Amino acid sequence: MNEQIRAFNELMAEVGNYLENTHAYSGNTVGAYRRGWLRLREFMVSNGIQHYDQKVEEQFLNYEFEGRKGRKLSKQEQFLANGTRKLTEFQSTGQVKVPNLPPVKVHLIFNGALGEAIVRYLDYKRVEERLSTIRLHCYKRCLFRFLEYCNKNKVHAIRDIDLAVLLKYINTLDCGKTVVVPVLSTLRGFIKYLFKQELLIADYSKGIPKYRIVDQPKLPSTYSKGEIEKLIASVERSSPIGKRNYAIILLAARLGLRASDIARLKFSNLHWDTSTIEIEQVKTGKELILPLLPDVGNAIIDYLKYARAKSEEPYIFLSERPPYSYFTSSNVITHIVQRAYIKAGINIKSRRYGPRSLRQSLGFRLLEESTVLPVISEVLGHKSTESTRYYLRIDLKSMQQCILEVPSVSPDFYLQKGGVFYD
């Protein structure tokens, strides 16, 4: 199996490089395609598939979308389908036909002494720091922009670069914070490199300002109690896969377990004598003890007795097809929950609809019931209450209790002569 996985990894690398070098795809786009191909690889490993071909593509897409096609797919799903088809096309023909795109990528030319120094710096980052292709592409574009500025302003010699030149260049940047941050970071590293190579008389990197981003976390995607119950009730429980998925969704909805913890749940984590689930969380490493609620426990027993394949695996949840292996990635749990949301017909517009949304919805309901933050933090397995505080921003019921009444203003105020309204 290792040889087949290695061959598939080589195929992914070849297609990614082809799209970047031949069709001018951005590093971000190719990176997104690669994440989809990794999901495909997980599907192959979980189902014991050794060779990739068009038949495997069809199996994978049918598994992901349950037969849905065309306009019934979201934009994200269409992107996954397109990336998979590109992989198949390249394997079959050695190329990918991409309409309405330039056939040859416009190469960035680094001329002059400064350009040569940039090339050496990029090579240093690639060899010494083993930077990924995507990161190198970002560095390359950032430094090419700086080179263009220097050429335009007749700063051809490296020794002519000083703090004044750098600050004037930074002042020309007219872009959002998501672009400014990598530009400044890349420039800072390059100037430091020039100083260490004794090409600059001073380390001007220390004078490059830092762009600090202070973002509030995104508001949690929460669903009402009725929506969660509708989701749970919609899960088909007569088939083996339905029994498994039902238990998985209950663990996320009733106990708030993360996808990674559900995927790696072992028999040793279930303590039937004390009716508890005891785990060491994958994300935080913190121990967590939760009550094994009756409906959750019954769902797990139903799966183990009547649905789980015979296996020596210590993990509870297994793939539904031979060789019946454990989940190598938490993405499987995410896909199970997402498909359940869609099948239940719940409105997911502008809301996340994975296991995290079930976890966040549980936290929100606890908050609505006036549960104190330390208790919510313990239930969700947070390291501290700081991780739980951002739920306060959606607790409108409690916020309303903090509203102060606006004091009434005497009519005489508006009628007085010489007041602010009459100046």
Side-chain angles (χ1 to χ4, degrees), residues 40 64 67 70 125-126 131 139 160 171 179 184 190 192 222 249 270 302 313 322 338 342 344 374 377 385 392 394 410:
L40 171 58
E64 286 286 329
K125 300 293 283 188
R126 179 181 61 83
L131 230 57
Y139 274 49
D160 293 336
N171 194 47
V179 179
L184 295 183
F190 176 59
K192 185 178 293 186
T222 60
I249 290 174
L270 302 179
D302 188 40
E313 289 282 1
Q338 288 178 336
I342 295 172
S377 182
T385 55
L392 294 173
I394 58 173
S410 171

Side-chain angles (χ1 to χ4, degrees), residues 91-148:
Q91 185 196 46
S92 302
T93 65
Q95 60 181 352
V96 177
K97 294 181 180 179
V98 181
N100 302 323
L101 282 177
V104 181
K105 184 171 183 178
V106 177
H107 293 283
L108 305 180
I109 300 175
F110 293 86
N111 51 14
L114 181 57
E116 292 175 0
I118 292 175
V119 171
R120 291 197 300 271
Y121 175 67
L122 293 173
D123 193 55
Y124 161 78
K125 300 293 283 188
R126 179 181 61 83
V127 176
E128 299 297 329
E129 298 189 12
R130 302 180 65 84
L131 230 57
S132 67
T133 303
I134 296 175
R135 290 287 302 281
L136 278 174
H137 184 74
C138 179
Y139 274 49
K140 196 172 184 180
R141 293 183 66 88
C142 290
L143 292 176
F144 183 75
R145 179 182 296 181
F146 177 60
L147 176 63
E148 281 188 313

Side-chain angles (χ1 to χ4, degrees), residues 184-405:
L184 295 183
S185 176
T186 303
L187 184 61
R188 191 179 296 112
F190 176 59
I191 296 302
K192 185 178 293 186
Y193 168 82
L194 293 179
F195 173 69
K196 289 183 177 181
Q197 296 295 313
E198 299 182 353
L199 297 174
L200 289 176
I201 61 173
D203 185 6
Y204 299 117
S205 66
K206 297 178 180 178
I208 297 176
K210 294 183 179 181
Y211 193 103
R212 186 184 178 191
I213 300 177
V214 181
D215 277 341
Q216 288 282 358
K218 292 182 179 179
L219 289 175
S221 294
T222 60
Y223 293 81
S224 67
K225 184 177 180 180
E227 288 176 315
I228 297 299
E229 294 306 320
K230 179 181 178 181
L231 171 70
I232 294 172
S234 71
V235 181
E236 177 273 321
R237 299 167 58 188
S238 60
S239 66
I241 189 173
K243 294 179 185 296
R244 183 199 67 182
N245 293 352
Y246 181 71
I248 286 173
I249 290 174
L250 278 183
L251 284 167
R254 298 284 193 249
L255 301 180
L257 285 181
R258 295 183 180 90
S260 56
D261 293 323
I262 296 175
R264 290 163 178 76
L265 192 65
K266 296 182 178 180
F267 288 99
S268 58
N269 298 132
L270 302 179
H271 297 264
W272 300 103
D273 53 338
T274 58
S275 296
T276 57
I277 294 179
E278 301 179 14
I279 63 172
E280 180 179 300
Q281 297 173 97
V282 175
K283 181 178 180 180
T284 64
K286 179 182 177 182
E287 291 186 0
L288 178 65
I289 301 177
L290 294 171
L292 186 56
L293 301 177
D295 57 345
V296 178
N298 290 334
I300 294 176
I301 291 173
D302 188 40
Y303 167 65
L304 295 179
K305 289 182 65 175
Y306 304 111
R308 187 180 186 271
K310 292 183 180 180
S311 173
E312 298 299 323
E313 289 282 1
Y315 298 93
I316 292 176
F317 299 110
L318 304 177
S319 61
E320 74 275 14
R321 297 187 181 93
Y324 304 116
S325 60
Y326 67 95
F327 299 149
T328 57
S329 168
S330 60
N331 286 339
V332 180
I333 305 297
T334 300
H335 300 158
I336 289 172
V337 176
Q338 288 178 336
R339 284 193 289 269
Y341 266 111
I342 295 172
K343 187 175 181 180
I346 296 173
N347 181 17
I348 57 176
K349 186 176 181 180
S350 301
R351 292 191 288 183
R352 294 176 178 172
Y353 55 104
R356 188 175 182 181
S357 68
L358 296 177
R359 175 179 170 83
Q360 292 173 339
S361 297
L362 174 63
F364 179 58
R365 286 200 301 278
L366 291 173
L367 198 59
E368 280 190 319
E369 295 169 1
S370 300
T371 308
V372 295
L373 284 184
V375 174
I376 300 177
S377 182
E378 283 297 320
V379 171
L380 298 181
H382 289 156
K383 284 186 175 182
S384 69
T385 55
E386 290 301 317
S387 301
T388 318
R389 286 185 182 277
Y390 84 118
Y391 284 91
L392 294 173
R393 296 185 296 146
I394 58 173
D395 186 12
L396 301 180
K397 182 178 178 181
S398 299
M399 286 184 182
Q400 288 174 347
Q401 299 175 5
C402 302
I403 296 176
L404 300 176
E405 292 186 5

